[in-house]
């Protein structure tokens, strides 16, 4: 028996992976699934944006993106939950030449990555998309290929898919661990102890 502590998106995907492999994991969350930090983010899946990109995090970020996107059909089917998964574009507004220069590396990496892309928008194109834009905007870089989900619904869908494959969810607070030698042998909850082979 494997116990997963934390019912956010990481715990939900861990439960799903273990359930797909034939295990029957128990997912423990003190407040209930999809009620804490994972559901407070905007649900953006932007693998080519952030620290270490371009650089050492790029391959990891793209693989993480793929692992999120690939099971969308399965998650919808198994859970019956609409998590509003969709591809989206992002607009990076250019206020001056310095902004444009700082966005050149982003454009290059987007254009070089299959499934992604970017193009410059002049001011009239930008105003057509967003008429309320600041009058000082010169244009923008429109980035394509990112994705977005409703974070709460997505976490619930991944958890429901895991449950459909044999995972169990327990709503309780973990207060401690028991061990035998160097191995965890039990998870202590407010309501009792769950015996396990790993956490």
């Amino acid at each position: 028996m494997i116990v997963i502590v934390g019912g956010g998106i990481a715990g939900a995907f861990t439960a799903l992976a273990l359930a797909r492999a034939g295990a029957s994991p128990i997912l423990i969350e003190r407040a209930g699934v999809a009620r804490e930090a994972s559901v407070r983010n905007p649900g953006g899946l932007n693998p080519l944006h952030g620290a270490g990109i371009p650089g050492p995090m790029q391959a990891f970020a793209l693989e993480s993106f793929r692992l999120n996107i690939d099971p969308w059909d399965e998650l919808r089917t198994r859970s019956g939950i609409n998590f509003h998964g969709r591809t989206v574009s992002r607009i990076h507004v250019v206020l001056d030449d310095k902004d444009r220069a700082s966005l050149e590396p982003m454009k290059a990496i987007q254009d070089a990555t299959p499934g992604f892309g970017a193009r410059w928008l002049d001011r009239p194109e930008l105003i057509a998309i967003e008429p309320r834009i600041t009058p000082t905007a010169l244009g923008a870089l429109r980035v394509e290929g990112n994705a977005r989900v409703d974070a709460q619904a997505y976490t619930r869908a991944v958890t429901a898919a895991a449950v459909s494959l044999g995972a169990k969810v327990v709503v309780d607070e973990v207060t401690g661990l028991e061990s035998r030698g160097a191995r965890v042998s039990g998870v202590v909850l407010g309501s009792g102890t769950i015996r396990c082979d790993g956490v």
Side-chain angles (χ1 to χ4, degrees):
M1 174 75 62
I2 298 174
V3 174
I4 303 153
V5 178
I9 194 63
F13 263 115
T14 302
L16 179 59
L18 288 167
R20 279 179 179 151
S24 298
I26 296 177
L27 178 63
I28 301 172
E29 173 53 59
R30 67 180 174 183
V33 169
R35 294 182 181 262
E36 299 286 344
S38 287
V39 302
R40 303 210 187 328
N41 72 63
L45 301 170
N46 311 304
L48 298 177
H49 180 76
I53 299 167
M57 293 300 293
Q58 185 172 334
F60 176 76
L62 285 167
E63 178 64 7
S64 296
F65 182 76
R66 185 192 66 74
L67 289 170
N68 270 276
I69 300 296
D70 285 356
W72 277 5
D73 288 341
E74 175 196 2
L75 295 176
R76 289 182 184 108
T77 300
R78 287 192 179 281
S79 72
I81 296 171
N82 182 2
F83 49 85
H84 305 285
R86 63 208 183 276
T87 57
V88 295
S89 60
R90 291 179 69 171
I91 302 287
H92 299 268
V93 176
V94 174
L95 299 177
D96 55 32
D97 290 340
K98 184 178 176 184
D99 281 345
R100 185 178 175 101
S102 72
L103 290 169
E104 288 285 2
M106 180 182 292
K107 182 175 188 325
I109 193 170
Q110 291 283 144
D111 287 341
T113 305
F116 293 83
R119 75 177 189 89
W120 294 111
L121 303 177
D122 60 23
R123 181 169 172 74
E125 290 174 302
L126 179 58
I127 290 172
I129 294 169
E130 180 47 78
R132 298 168 298 174
I133 200 73
T134 176
T136 59
L138 302 177
L141 181 66
R142 182 175 185 148
V143 174
E144 305 287 348
N146 294 311
R148 175 158 292 168
V149 296
D150 174 317
Q152 184 176 46
Y154 191 50
T155 305
R156 286 179 30 243
V158 175
T159 303
V163 168
S164 78
L165 292 168
K168 293 180 178 62
V169 176
V170 172
V171 178
D172 206 336
E173 185 163 6
V174 174
T175 60
L177 299 173
E178 293 181 353
S179 62
R180 277 194 204 122
R183 294 191 64 119
V184 172
S185 59
V187 177
V188 182
L189 307 176
S191 60
T193 300
I194 295 177
R195 298 287 160 214
C196 64
D197 302 308
V199 176

